[in-house]
Amino acid sequence: MSKEKSKCTDYLCVDKPKSFYDRIFSISGIFRKRSHETRFPQRPLFRSEFGSITWSLFHRLCAYYPTAPSQKEKEMAQKMFVGFAEFFPCKECKGDLLEEVKKNKIKVDNNRTLSKWFCEIHNATNKKIGRPEINIDNIDDIINRFII
């Protein structure tokens, strides 16, 4: 996905519109309580919502991946990431993600290598969309952020 306006017309590729209240509360820093319907809308997620949830989920999965995985766990992790890329709902992002997964072999030796690999995938995406990259110099700090 490039920095330019996405050509994808899937609902998932639509950016969330900023409402007047979103702008006011984000500027003022006031936290407002939101109803259940606002927090869990009965509609497809916007790109920013889906992206944030998805990145967090997979960073957490990498953090909880075993430090000494069995061969079966390694195979399952590889299949999970390839399957995720294959079934990604946005066609444009799916192509980019599949390309990254094929270009950068999934490193499933332990949670540190898998987390670092996933951060590299995340950074490739961030670079394409013009967002700041994650500093992966100390992978243990990143892992600890996602462990409860």
Side-chain angles (χ1 to χ4, degrees):
M1 199 163 73
S2 65
K3 267 176 136 175
E4 297 132 19
K5 190 154 178 91
S6 174
K7 294 177 184 102
C8 185
T9 57
D10 289 344
Y11 188 86
L12 183 65
C13 293
V14 176
D15 286 321
K16 179 181 177 184
K18 278 223 177 233
S19 72
F20 171 76
Y21 290 105
D22 286 339
R23 280 185 242 132
I24 295 299
F25 287 108
S26 66
I27 292 168
S28 66
I30 297 171
F31 177 78
R32 65 181 170 146
K33 290 189 177 190
R34 300 184 306 173
S35 68
H36 180 80
E37 292 77 25
T38 306
R39 287 182 294 165
F40 305 103
Q42 298 300 306
R43 59 162 170 73
L45 297 174
F46 289 110
R47 178 182 11 206
S48 59
E49 296 166 324
F50 184 79
S52 177
I53 291 165
T54 305
W55 288 123
S56 294
L57 169 67
F58 278 93
H59 279 294
R60 180 160 286 168
L61 290 172
C62 291
Y64 279 95
Y65 185 70
T67 54
S70 67
Q71 187 59 37
K72 183 177 180 177
E73 288 170 324
K74 290 177 182 182
E75 291 168 7
M76 289 171 54
Q78 288 175 328
K79 287 178 183 177
M80 177 183 69
F81 282 105
V82 171
F84 174 72
E86 285 286 345
F87 292 105
F88 200 80
C90 168
K91 291 174 186 74
E92 186 178 346
C93 300
K94 172 185 175 174
D96 289 342
L97 188 55
L98 279 170
E99 183 181 313
E100 285 298 326
V101 168
K102 289 175 183 171
K103 186 170 67 173
N104 299 315
K105 185 177 182 245
I106 303 169
K107 298 175 180 88
V108 292
D109 298 329
N110 55 53
N111 68 337
R112 294 182 87 248
T113 60
L114 185 61
S115 291
K116 186 171 183 179
W117 171 83
F118 190 67
C119 285
E120 290 167 354
I121 296 296
H122 194 168
N123 279 341
T125 302
N126 283 348
K127 188 175 182 179
K128 286 179 187 173
I129 62 173
R131 297 199 63 195
E133 293 183 28
I134 302 165
N135 181 350
I136 57 175
D137 291 341
N138 190 347
I139 200 66
D140 292 325
D141 287 345
I142 294 169
I143 291 170
N144 289 335
R145 258 190 275 160
F146 290 97
I147 292 181
I148 297 174

